[in-house]
Amino acid sequence: RAEPPAALALLLFGDAEQPMPGNFSSGELDDNSPLKTIASFPQELVLLGRATILIKGISKRLGINWPLSEKWAPLAEQALACGVDGCTMPTWSNVVSADAYAAQKTVAI
């Protein structure tokens, strides 16, 4: 079945307000949560999953629209471009030019 992993991906990285595949609930503790159908989760992704839930929860509580998948997309694309052997330096360590930094969207709180 493809619905549980797709619903989990939406829960972690997408807009939880959108209807979930397989009629899953976006409530993490709900009986119909996609989290309840996942038998195991890759150890390398546990911290990432926890971080995404924290970031999404904080942004929702503060009323900030924070598209997590859009924010992380450039780093993910760069990591994929490094190939199987990975990059020499972590993707987050790259120097960002002042122009690129100024072009980033900022959120007023």
Side-chain angles (χ1 to χ4, degrees):
R1 244 177 86 187
E3 289 91 1
L8 181 62
L10 276 176
L11 180 65
L12 293 177
F13 304 111
D15 183 4
E17 302 301 320
Q18 292 183 16
M20 295 279 184
N23 294 322
F24 284 104
S25 168
S26 61
E28 299 159 30
L29 302 177
D30 194 276
D31 287 339
N32 201 25
S33 170
L35 294 171
K36 304 228 183 221
T37 65
I38 305 298
S40 66
F41 200 74
Q43 187 64 32
E44 305 85 32
L45 299 178
V46 170
L47 184 58
L48 177 66
R50 289 180 179 170
T52 60
I53 295 296
L54 283 171
I55 291 168
K56 289 180 76 167
I58 291 169
S59 66
K60 185 172 184 174
R61 179 73 173 153
L62 294 175
I64 299 171
N65 182 17
W66 189 261
L68 193 57
S69 57
E70 290 177 24
K71 298 290 184 182
W72 286 359
L75 291 174
E77 290 168 355
Q78 184 179 4
L80 289 172
C82 291
V84 178
D85 295 328
C87 298
T88 306
M89 296 293 289
T91 55
W92 50 264
S93 69
N94 291 336
V95 177
V96 177
S97 70
D99 292 335
Y101 184 77
Q104 292 177 349
K105 296 177 185 173
T106 57
V107 176
I109 299 177

